[in-house]
């Protein structure tokens, strides 16, 4: 069976890492070695920033591929495959819409860095955001940022996640699309840009068919990727709609479900 799978894509939070952000490094490296021998690529597919994801794999980040920022930033080893470029008028419109709702705590995500606005969010929020965005800086005004913009990552009150999801979908139609992993985290990305579109870029580059791909995920922003891949695994800790999108359910992230499953294949 392992010869059939040529690409394995994993979400990070709630999927590959345990809740304390650790994973079994020696075990993973053993599996990665066997995957390489079988001609299978490992892809890290996350809403998080590339620099944060790279730091999770110290010393061998250059061997892996990354679909970061929910598909807005794609790298194959050291080579940049794709970076979204949100038009300035869209960027400004998103900023204006978010400013109507003071409870939205916004993060602007660029190629060079992510940004928080002074006076709009607390130092505590900035420090928490730095866990997911290792390159993060303050700015006085989002509209003045000089960077290629990949996406926005607004944080909203958890119980209003879907209120904001619907509001963004309606008001930014055709310009930016919301995706969410739940829990008050929303990403606003260019239409047609998601984890599956990033995977597709890599698969085409490597001559790999969707039926030769396996994906692991636990959130709403993993659904396109689970639909795209021939082998799709929802984590035991995933909500119902994610399990419905996947062909299989594997043990939870706390039980190293991804590694347990990959060991069966490789």
């Amino acid at each position: 069976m392992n010869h059939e799978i040529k690409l394995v894509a994993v979400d990070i939070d709630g999927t590959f890492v345990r809740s304390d952000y650790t994973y079994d490094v020696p075990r993973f490296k053993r599996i990665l070695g066997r995957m390489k021998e079988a001609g299978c690529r490992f892809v890290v597919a996350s809403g998080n920033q590339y620099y944060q994801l790279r730091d999770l794999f110290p010393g061998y980040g250059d061997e892996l591929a990354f679909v970061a920022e929910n598909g807005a930033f794609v790298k194959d080893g050291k080579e940049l495959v794709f970076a979204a470029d949100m038009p300035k008028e869209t960027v400004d419109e998103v900023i204006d819409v978010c400013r109507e709702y003071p409870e939205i705590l916004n993060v602007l995500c660029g190629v060079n860095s992510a940004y928080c606005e002074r006076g709009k969010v607390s130092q505590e929020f900035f420090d928490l955001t730095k866990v997911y965005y290792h390159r993060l800086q303050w700015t006085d005004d989002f509209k003045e940022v000089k960077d290629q913009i990949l996406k926005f990552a607004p944080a909203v009150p958890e119980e209003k996640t879907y209120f904001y999801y619907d509001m963004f979908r309606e008001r930014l139609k055709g310009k930016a699309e919301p995706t969410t992993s739940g829990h008050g985290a929303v990403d606003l990305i260019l239409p047609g840009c998601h984890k599956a579109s990033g995977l597709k870029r890599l698969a085409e580059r490597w001559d790999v068919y969707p039926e030769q791909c396996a994906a692991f995920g636990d959130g709403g922003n993993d659904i396109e990727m689970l639909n795209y891949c021939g082998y799709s695994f929802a984590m035991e800790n995933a909500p119902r709609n994610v399990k419905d999108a996947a062909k299989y359910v594997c043990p939870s992230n706390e039980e190293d479900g991804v590694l347990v499953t990959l060991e069966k294949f490789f």
Side-chain angles (χ1 to χ4, degrees), residues 21-96:
Y21 237 77
T22 62
Y23 64 97
D24 187 335
V25 177
R27 188 179 186 184
F28 172 64
K29 285 192 167 170
R30 283 197 304 274
I31 295 168
L32 191 63
R34 294 201 289 270
M35 285 174 63
K36 268 189 165 153
E37 281 166 30
C40 181
R41 316 263 191 162
F42 187 84
V43 182
V44 178
S46 170
N48 298 352
Q49 187 184 48
Y50 167 70
Y51 304 104
Q52 184 251 15
L53 297 170
R54 245 193 90 96
D55 289 346
L56 256 185
F57 302 92
Y60 56 104
D62 287 343
E63 301 170 36
L64 308 176
F66 293 86
V67 172
E69 310 272 16
N70 273 323
F73 192 81
V74 181
K75 277 192 98 166
D76 175 4
K78 293 178 174 164
E79 208 175 326
L80 180 65
V81 175
F82 173 75
D85 191 357
M86 199 176 262
K88 179 78 173 118
E89 55 274 20
T90 303
V91 171
D92 289 351
E93 189 171 342
V94 172
I95 294 166
D96 291 338

Side-chain angles (χ1 to χ4, degrees), residues 67 70-71 193-201 221 224-226 228:
V67 172
N70 273 323
C193 206
H194 42 62
K195 290 185 187 183
S197 67
L199 275 191
K200 192 165 181 270
R201 292 176 201 278
N221 61 340
E224 288 97 348
M225 168 170 91
L226 293 170
Y228 174 79

Side-chain angles (χ1 to χ4, degrees), residues 142-154:
F142 279 153
K143 292 189 181 182
E144 300 304 315
V145 168
K146 300 279 180 274
D147 198 347
Q148 182 174 327
I149 304 308
L150 301 169
K151 67 165 199 190
F152 285 84

Side-chain angles (χ1 to χ4, degrees), residues 103-105 155-164 183-185:
E103 68 182 359
I104 293 176
L105 304 174
V156 302
E158 187 163 346
E159 68 284 358
K160 288 188 178 172
T161 305
Y162 291 95
F163 162 80
Y164 280 109
H183 318 294

Side-chain angles (χ1 to χ4, degrees), residues 1-8 38 40 212-214 231 265-266:
M1 185 158 195
N2 54 357
H3 304 300
E4 295 173 25
I5 297 179
K6 295 293 173 203
L7 184 162
V8 170
C40 181
Q212 297 173 304
C213 298
Y231 298 87
F265 291 128
F266 299 99

Side-chain angles (χ1 to χ4, degrees), residues 209-258:
Y209 299 106
E211 48 275 21
Q212 297 173 304
C213 298
F216 294 82
D218 75 306
N221 61 340
D222 295 316
I223 288 176
E224 288 97 348
M225 168 170 91
L226 293 170
N227 286 335
Y228 174 79
C229 294
Y231 298 87
S232 51
F233 297 87
M235 310 308 288
E236 185 50 62
N237 46 290
R240 184 79 268 149
N241 64 326
V242 179
K243 287 179 177 169
D244 288 345
K247 291 195 177 74
Y248 311 100
V249 174
C250 71
S252 76
N253 63 317
E254 297 300 340
E255 298 166 85
D256 298 344
V258 173

